[in-house]
Amino acid sequence: MTDAAELRTRTQRLLAEHPPATTAREDFLRARFDAGLAWVHYPVGLGGLDAPRSLQAVVDAELAAAGAPDNDPRRIGIGLGMAAPTLLAYGSDEVKQRFLKPLWVGEEVWCQLFSEPGAGSDLAALATRAVRDGDTWVVNGQKVWTSSAHVARWAILIARTDPDLPKHRGITYFVCDMTDPGVEVRPLRQITGEAEFNEVFLTDVRIPDAHRLGEAGDGWRVAQTTLMNERVSIGGARIPREGGMIGPVAKTWRERPDLRTHDLHRRLLDLWVDSEVARLTGERLRQQLVAGQPGPEGSAMKLGFARLNQAISGLEVELLGDEGLLYGDWTMRRPELVDFTGRDAGYRYLRSKGNSIEGGTTEVLLNIVAERVLGLPPEPRNDKDVAWKDLAR
Ligand SMILES: Cc1cc2nc3c(=O)[nH]c(=O)nc-3n(C[C@H](O)[C@H](O)[C@H](O)COP(=O)(O)OP(=O)(O)OC[C@H]3O[C@@H](n4cnc5c(N)ncnc54)[C@H](O)[C@@H]3O)c2cc1C
């Protein structure tokens, strides 16, 4: 069993053989992957050492102290947080060998082709069709709200392969090549003025059967791995104290005594404490993850993240008064990632509105917590045994 001392030794060897100061960033990251120090809990040969997940912190601390570059996890969040655990759990050996390294290094960005105009919360109702043709599948349909599709090389995709079965049972999960000529990506402009997500039209897109994850018809189960990991990756990033949305407000409070009022002070303190509780809950969740796949606790975490971000960014706009209403630039940018830092208060206020929709809406996550954490009776599901083709749409 790999322990902390061995990981330190391996990390020091990596640093000695590939000094960060004189090694190109991607070369260093590739060497780190090959040394099994990318995600230590992954298997040997796939960027890991089969070590306990908790020991990743040992490697990260050594590398940070040496000034080594990281793989910019925010830029490749969908790949790291959602595609990778699904590829690991359901991909063939060839698939894992082909995709995991460029994904982790950040050479290939991933996006998630799940939501459709008629299938968001009720994702299992999706209508995009995949029809088998020899060794390939031919895919036709439309996806929507696809973050990063404009920069993505690959996508995780779910499509209907058997309309005669009930909705959850006729779905299959694929890796889709975003450079296929049948993939058309169009920007969708958001309330912020930016277009970080897209609608994606799929016309006769051909996917090799080798790029199927899991069995044909078992895509819903495979998608659960993605969705559970998505909630953790949206709400559960490791951040330092005041590293989240509360940071800029606390800074403004300290630097601008002219804006302070007694009422805002009390609300800021409440939200500061809530942020700290959320941060520490995230730490606990990560420790639970050491023991396995995320469960419904990730949904609770994501719920809290959305609620807090919206409350804090609202307070920030209020604190800034007239200044908070300024929104300088409505240029339709196509950002590669969502970054709340270094932006003005108006951006944070508007962008955080999406937090209670993306990765499962607050209402749907409340249903999950009610059923799976609190054990309350489930919602009625009358369409569970009806063939998808007979559902009212
Ligand atoms: C910023 C952002 C980024 C996104 N990125 C991606 C992406 O990369 N890939 C992707 O596939 N999708 C993405 N999405 C889509 C997102 O997953 C969906 O928007 C979300 O699941 C909700 O689906 P919907 O928009 O169709 O709303 P609907 O499902 O139509 O919901 C409408 C309203 O009805 C409520 N509702 C629905 N069902 C229930 C129920 N059973 N009980 C109580 N209330 C209910 C909802 O809470 C909501 O208020 C993104 C969304 C946003 C906002």
Side-chain angles (χ1 to χ4, degrees):
M1 171 76 97
T2 312
D3 61 13
E6 187 188 336
L7 284 177
R8 265 189 212 100
T9 309
R10 283 176 180 265
T11 309
Q12 289 308 328
R13 195 183 315 139
L14 170 74
L15 289 164
E17 288 171 5
H18 306 274
T22 52
T23 309
R25 181 175 171 275
E26 287 197 345
D27 290 342
F28 182 85
L29 294 171
R30 283 189 210 105
R32 177 174 165 187
F33 188 95
D34 293 338
L37 299 170
W39 30 34
V40 295
H41 60 293
Y42 270 49
V44 174
L46 295 174
L49 293 167
D50 286 309
R53 191 175 182 146
S54 54
L55 293 181
Q56 185 67 48
V58 174
V59 175
D60 292 349
E62 294 278 318
L63 291 176
D70 69 13
N71 59 352
D72 198 355
R74 288 173 318 155
R75 189 181 145 257
I76 53 174
I78 294 176
L80 286 178
M82 293 148 67
T86 317
L87 291 165
L88 183 67
Y90 291 99
S92 62
D93 288 346
E94 293 73 29
V95 159
K96 288 185 247 193
Q97 287 293 343
R98 162 62 187 86
F99 291 117
L100 286 173
K101 185 169 174 179
L103 180 160
W104 187 86
V105 170
E107 292 164 299
E108 292 181 342
V109 173
W110 286 67
C111 67
Q112 179 196 23
L113 293 172
F114 278 26
S115 303
E116 298 184 4
S121 301
D122 188 11
L123 183 58
L126 60 88
T128 292
R129 281 284 273 132
V131 177
R132 190 154 184 165
D133 178 20
D135 281 345
T136 60
W137 295 81
V138 183
V139 182
N140 282 283
Q142 186 199 338
K143 297 289 178 176
V144 75
W145 320 126
T146 318
S147 308
S148 306
H150 51 294
V151 287
R153 173 68 181 82
W154 298 99
I156 40 176
L157 163 76
I158 44 178
R160 184 147 315 274
T161 44
D162 192 343
D164 294 325
L165 289 175
K167 60 181 180 179
H168 293 95
R169 284 196 253 143
I171 294 173
T172 303
Y173 197 120
F174 300 97
V175 171
C176 174
D177 182 349
M178 292 297 286
T179 65
D180 185 288
V183 176
E184 187 195 345
V185 177
R186 296 187 198 159
L188 279 176
R189 199 170 190 201
Q190 293 153 247
I191 194 174
T192 56
E194 300 186 340
E196 99 211 13
F197 58 23
N198 306 271
E199 47 186 355
V200 177
F201 296 85
L202 306 164
T203 310
D204 292 333
V205 174
R206 299 194 82 88
I207 299 183
D209 187 51
H211 287 181
R212 171 171 46 78
L213 299 186
E215 296 301 317
D218 203 24
W220 186 251
R221 193 160 67 95
V222 183
Q224 294 315 303
T225 299
T226 311
L227 296 174
M228 288 300 174
N229 279 286
E230 175 172 16
R231 280 151 204 166
V232 176
S233 65
I234 291 182
R238 171 171 281 134
I239 49 169
R241 182 176 281 181
E242 288 194 13
M245 199 72 113
I246 198 73
V249 199
K251 184 166 181 284
T252 305
W253 182 270
R254 289 185 189 110
E255 291 173 358
R256 298 281 307 271
D258 55 307
L259 299 174
R260 295 177 192 164
T261 69
H262 180 69
D263 173 53
L264 290 174
H265 187 217
R266 188 187 48 75
R267 284 167 53 201
L268 176 63
L269 287 178
D270 281 349
L271 290 172
W272 193 95
V273 171
D274 287 351
S275 302
E276 195 54 12
V277 170
R279 188 177 77 80
L280 295 171
T281 308
E283 281 301 323
R284 193 172 56 181
L285 182 64
R286 265 184 297 281
Q287 284 167 18
Q288 284 170 357
L289 281 183
V290 170
Q293 286 294 321
E297 306 82 9
S299 301
M301 185 78 218
K302 202 244 140 183
L303 265 177
F305 167 83
R307 186 182 62 82
L308 258 179
N309 271 2
Q310 291 173 358
I312 296 169
S313 59
L315 179 75
E316 186 180 16
V317 167
E318 225 179 301
L319 172 64
L320 285 165
D322 294 350
E323 290 171 46
L325 298 177
L326 293 174
Y327 198 79
D329 185 0
W330 284 100
T331 320
M332 190 181 87
R333 268 190 282 269
R334 302 279 274 144
E336 264 197 66
L337 57 94
V338 181
D339 192 356
F340 284 120
T341 52
R343 304 296 302 264
D344 57 31
Y347 172 83
R348 278 189 283 277
Y349 178 73
L350 294 176
R351 179 58 185 81
S352 66
K353 297 296 173 206
N355 290 158
S356 50
I357 306 172
E358 60 196 314
T361 68
T362 286
E363 293 75 19
V364 166
L365 297 183
L366 283 171
N367 284 344
I368 292 175
V369 172
E371 284 177 33
R372 299 192 38 209
V373 181
L374 303 177
L376 297 177
E379 282 201 307
R381 294 190 179 98
N382 304 328
D383 58 0
K384 176 157 112 340
D385 298 314
V386 182
W388 175 82
K389 65 177 171 35
D390 298 329
L391 293 176
R393 272 189 300 284

